[in-house]
């Protein structure tokens, strides 16, 4: 993988121009992407031109953008034939922030249709017989394959953290609305959150700081860590339990106190009702597609929308209320701790033959809560596939989450 | 004005077909709109075709939709030359809900550019020397002029309640996200709320119920009413104070207890910081337009965005926090009362020569809080221009707000 910080250091030392750094990414895409299929659209000339004319903090950083995010100069197809060749009028807010920080958008990355769970054709760079997960499939795979040092995706269930875990890359779903969502095709406006993928946690922190112009100050002391096993979400694969144990041991070895946390009862209810809120909101957001283009809607998405149609307004309101109550409970839960560690996913990347993007079981609660979540890579299952560990902090404490995740990443290396 | 309920009763009695009802609206537009300028685009054939094939609760109801709301079959120009002729791919969620309820969308109504405050060319139907206000100028004017019985707009500052007051029509900004916003061009995603205009409060209630498929049960008892003078927003014109007094007297005459309310201190801070949140979010949502099409951005909007550029991230975060604290305070404020009554605007419609859409001073707090707000028409200033009174309930208590507003509207008539 390509580290943003390492690449920026080389550019700063004059060893490489920003344009050459972007050209190398484009060459890597040309070489590797035919086997992986992470990109839908490429803009070689636009990316090089951007690299020539900028001096921003991300100059020379080639970026992949999930194809649910509007770009004025490239099609935005949302993983669906309904949007084939569609050109939005304006760039999404995030796209303008990426360009404003001096990065070069090299192309749009594959997404499941409307960021749901019908698999893309993208392969997992660690083993082409496996899925990269979804919905931000191409964004995770493009970083994992060393094609680009940075990519962006979005999460409503587990569409950032889960593919990051499957592909062995660092990734973050920041606090809800830390990255503005204007220009993202919505699935569930109350939950949809933009996030990013990079080689390491410090790379993620640097890029997020550059695009949001926020400082993420290090914690400056040993964190207090809780372990959340999310019993309500069912048990994980043994490899994921093992990764969590490794994380606990690595932190404990650094003299960091790690304690088991009891989940407040509001969490189980919110976890259970998150799909109600998400899919009823999707029924609103995708009403035009669902009513007028039904034959082109893929099977898993169609099943979710059909299910949403059976839900009552009372059930929808109950789900919104459950989210609100769980957010209050989460605020209290984080009083004594800086971060929670948990599983990133219940298992490793599914085999392509399973026709699945994996399971968001350990992500969807936090997506609903709007808390910052980070996938820390570094573990591997016996089949060679990556397994991540998830770090979660209180809403708005993105700096703390990044600080703890960086410590954990470092601890897992030693 | 055309009452939805009266029109629906005639259609139900077989006195008028749905198609004829829509044709009459189209004829009224043809006759009156050249002098008023409430419509940007008309779809005569589409509207008639919709009326012929539906039996929904709003069959025969001609609807105007603010031109910031996406329509797949009509341009969506957002009041800006940047979007001249722009055709979105999909209908907004609201547009699909309107169609789903059987209404006929006859056209798109004028809006200030990007729903800010640079005036449209629309005239106030009560006196063509005056403005209809904004930003939902055409939506308010089209109902006031008796062209259509129903129209939709959006509010971030005071863009529904204020023009409703200036045009003497009933209107509601429901609770935040009661109407899904997918497909609305965002200004401030945390605040933007879709709302509707009709002849009377029961017409508003019927239409909102039809499109959201929610029941708004009457309160069934005498409400407890508080008066909020919003001192932090400065004093109103004497005519508006008089209208509020009339409302208090009318309610008291019905044996309803009306008490003065002290505004919690969190309200003044939230009121002060609402423009920080709104305009920094606008800087995100309109980043592409602002950076790449600056010459086409109008002066008042440009000034707001320039100001937003001077604000720090700390100020933005403080404004978000202030909103959160005020929402908690509002929840407590409404414990002892069912609704608050207040001014809808600080004055009457501005003269066209003032080049103003009026002042959102008495609206922007509630926009930030996400509470349901209703303009109750029925008062007039000595210059003949309408003056409304505002009814506000707790977040999520849209039924209560509608119930109280209907009582007040009735009381003001007697």
């Amino acid at each position: 993988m390509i580290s943003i910080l390492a690449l920026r250091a080389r550019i700063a030392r004059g060893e490489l121009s920003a344009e050459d750094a972007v050209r190398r990414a484009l060459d890597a895409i040309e070489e590797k992407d035919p086997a992986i299929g992470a990109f839908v659209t490429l803009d070689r000339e636009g990316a090089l031109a951007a690299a020539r004319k900028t001096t921003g903090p991300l100059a020379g950083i080639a970026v992949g953008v999930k194809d649910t995010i509007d770009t004025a100069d490239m099609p935005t197809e949302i993983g669906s034939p309904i949007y084939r060749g569609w050109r939005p009028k304006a760039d999404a807010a995030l796209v303008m922030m990426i360009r404003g920080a001096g990065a070069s958008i090299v192309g749009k990355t594959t997404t499941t249709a409307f960021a749901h769970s019908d698999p893309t054709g993208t392969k997992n760079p660690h083993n082409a017989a496996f899925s990269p997960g979804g919905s931000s499939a191409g964004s995770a795979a493009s970083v994992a394959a060393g094609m680009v040092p940075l990519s962006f995706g979005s999460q409503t269930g587990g569409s950032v953290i889960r593919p990051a875990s499957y592909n062995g890359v660092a990734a973050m779903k920041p606090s809800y609305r830390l990255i503005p969502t204007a220009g993202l095709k919505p699935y569930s406006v109350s939950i949809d959150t933009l996030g990013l993928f990079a080689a390491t946690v410090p790379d993620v922190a640097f890029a997020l700081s550059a695009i949001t112009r926020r400082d993420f100050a290090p914690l400056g002391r040993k964190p207090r860590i809780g372990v959340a096993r999310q019993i309500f979400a069912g048990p994980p694969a043994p490899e994921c339990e093992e990764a969590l144990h490794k994380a606990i041991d690595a932190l404990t070895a650094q003299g960091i106190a790690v304690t088991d946390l009891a989940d407040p009862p509001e969490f189980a209810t919110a976890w259970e009702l998150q799909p109600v809120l998400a899919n009823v909101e999707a029924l609103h957001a995708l009403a035009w597609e669902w009513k007028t283009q039904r034959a082109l809607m893929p099977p898993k998405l169609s099943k979710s929308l059909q299910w949403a149609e059976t839900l009552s307004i009372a059930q929808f309101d109950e789900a919104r209320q459950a989210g609100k109550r769980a957010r209050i409970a989460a605020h209290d839960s984080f009083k004594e701790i800086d971060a929670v560690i948990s599983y990133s996913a219940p298992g490793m990347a599914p085999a392509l033959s399973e026709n699945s993007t994996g399971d968001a079981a350990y992500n969807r609660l936090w997506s609903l809560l709007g808390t910052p979540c980070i996938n820390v890579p570094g573990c591997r299952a016996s089949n060679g596939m990556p397994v991540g560990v998830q770090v979660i902090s209180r809403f708005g404490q993105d700096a703390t989450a990044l600080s703890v995740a960086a410590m954990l990443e470092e601890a897992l290396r030693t």
Side-chain angles (χ1 to χ4, degrees), chain A residues 8 18 22 50-51 54-61 96-104:
Chain A
R8 285 295 310 160
V22 171
T54 184
T55 54
L58 295 181
I61 303 303
M96 290 300 292
M97 290 166 93
I98 295 168
R99 297 194 203 279
S104 286

Side-chain angles (χ1 to χ4, degrees), chain A residues 16-312:
Chain A
L16 194 69
S17 71
E19 189 183 351
D20 283 340
V22 171
R23 187 172 287 114
R24 286 184 187 197
L26 288 161
D27 293 347
I29 293 168
E30 204 171 305
E31 181 201 330
K32 298 175 182 176
D33 205 46
I36 290 171
F39 284 91
V40 190
T41 310
L42 287 174
D43 180 17
R44 194 176 170 94
E45 291 317 309
L48 290 170
R52 276 194 295 273
K53 69 179 180 205
T54 184
T55 54
L58 295 181
I61 303 303
V63 175
V65 172
K66 187 177 183 178
D67 207 21
T68 52
I69 299 168
D70 281 353
T71 42
D73 56 356
M74 276 179 267
T76 300
E77 300 188 333
I78 319 176
S80 166
I82 300 168
Y83 283 80
R84 191 153 291 151
W86 170 246
R87 295 289 283 257
K89 181 78 181 176
D91 280 337
L94 168 61
V95 168
M96 290 300 292
M97 290 166 93
I98 295 168
R99 297 194 203 279
S104 286
I105 298 178
V106 296
K108 305 296 287 287
T109 56
T110 55
T111 174
T112 61
F114 304 102
H116 195 264
S117 59
D118 298 275
T120 62
T122 312
K123 312 283 195 297
N124 192 306
H126 291 269
N127 184 332
F130 290 84
S131 164
S135 63
S136 311
S139 291
S142 61
V143 170
M147 294 191 272
V148 290
L150 177 63
S151 67
F152 289 85
S154 64
Q155 176 161 320
T156 306
S159 287
V160 168
I161 299 301
R162 175 167 104 256
S165 179
Y166 295 167
N167 290 276
V169 302
M172 182 175 193
K173 177 198 86 63
S175 292
Y176 180 62
R177 283 191 185 142
L178 188 83
I179 302 177
T181 51
L184 168 71
K185 176 71 179 174
Y187 190 85
S188 169
V189 291
S190 302
I191 309 178
D192 297 339
T193 304
L194 289 158
L196 65 168
F197 301 83
T200 70
V201 174
D203 290 320
V204 166
F206 179 79
L208 187 63
S209 177
I211 65 147
T212 62
R213 301 182 189 185
R214 286 175 181 269
D215 287 326
F216 299 109
L219 192 57
R221 58 169 170 77
K222 282 198 198 302
R224 301 155 302 172
I225 306 287
V227 179
R229 285 205 162 71
Q230 307 192 62
I231 307 292
F232 45 77
E239 291 88 342
C240 300
E241 188 63 49
E242 197 186 307
L244 187 64
H245 271 281
K246 259 195 188 163
I248 295 168
D249 291 348
L251 291 168
T252 308
Q254 308 276 327
I256 293 167
V258 182
T259 51
D260 267 353
L261 266 193
D263 290 317
E266 291 86 351
F267 279 14
T269 309
W271 178 85
E272 195 190 324
L273 298 183
Q274 185 271 353
V276 173
L277 179 57
N279 290 301
V280 173
E281 289 199 337
L283 207 50
H284 298 147
L286 302 176
W288 179 83
E289 292 84 351
W290 183 233
K291 300 277 182 200
T292 74
Q293 313 286 321
R294 184 140 339 170
L296 296 174
M297 296 293 265
K300 292 178 192 233
L301 174 58
S302 295
K303 205 176 153 193
S304 288
L305 295 177
Q306 269 156 4
W307 173 70
E309 286 182 321
T310 69
L311 300 169
S312 68

Side-chain angles (χ1 to χ4, degrees), chain A residues 261-262 264 266-267 325-337 394:
Chain A
L261 266 193
E266 291 86 351
F267 279 14
R325 279 192 291 265
R327 276 188 282 274
I328 294 167
H331 194 78
D332 290 340
S333 278
F334 279 102
K335 260 187 189 139
E336 304 294 322
I337 54 162
R394 189 188 259 189

